[in-house]
Amino acid sequence: PQMTERVKYHLGIYSGRLKNVIGRYIVRRKKYFPMIEDIFKSKNLPLELAYVSMLESGFNPKALSHAGARGLWQFMPATARRYGLTVNKSLDERIEPRKATYAAAEYFKDLISIFGGKRSVMLAIAAYNAGEHRIIGALRQIEDPMRNRDFWYIYRMGILADETNEYIPRILALMIITENQVEFGFKEPERDKNASLESEDDFIELGF
């Protein structure tokens, strides 16, 4: 019930006051989604993970957050370097879509190896947002991990930050809208030839 309620809430926000923003994300999806899918297929990763980029950056390879995360996958410098990307004063490979996506694929592989696949892949997605140590700490508080080791159980426990609790419902909402654009009133927006869809400024961190 909590999942359904929160997904519906974000569906309302994304098809309401943030409709223009999501419309731009859908436009960029056409450019970058096939590349992401090809790389994730080559790594045997669930293709649904591609929507993490939609939430993180709106598929904008130049997106820059207030915290300093950058690129399609919003890597912080330390995480980017850990997965083979060069980040220094003269070069920032976080803004190179293909290289950043290969790095994200390796990161997801590591997270899935820690938290498991199939029904546990949501734990890996939550760890992408919160960091693996926070999710491990939450899992350690489950009294019966043989039965209850999944994201929605720790969600109901209320021990994760609101941002992480909402991360999965927000991704699910983006998936539903993208796959049902007409039903949610989306059509391809007219593009302003003088405006760039891939600038650092064309990025809004999707709120709750």
Side-chain angles (χ1 to χ4, degrees), residues 1 7 23 29 36 62 64 91 102 106-107 124 140 149 188 194 203:
V7 171
R29 177 184 182 275
I36 296 171
K62 296 181 181 178
L64 179 65
L91 179 63
Y102 272 111
E106 292 302 318
Y107 189 19
R140 284 176 173 163
R149 188 184 184 275
E188 187 167 318
N194 297 317
F203 172 58

Side-chain angles (χ1 to χ4, degrees), residues 88-140:
N88 55 40
K89 292 182 179 179
S90 59
L91 179 63
D92 191 343
E93 291 184 333
R94 293 177 297 173
I95 67 172
E96 297 186 24
R98 184 167 291 273
K99 288 185 177 181
T101 299
Y102 272 111
E106 292 302 318
Y107 189 19
F108 277 124
K109 281 179 62 179
D110 284 350
L111 292 175
I112 289 173
S113 71
I114 295 170
F115 298 105
K118 297 184 179 178
R119 71 188 296 262
S120 296
V121 73
M122 288 185 183
L123 292 172
I125 296 175
Y128 191 93
N129 171 258
E132 52 263 45
H133 296 297
R134 287 179 182 163
I135 302 303
I136 290 171
L139 292 174
R140 284 176 173 163

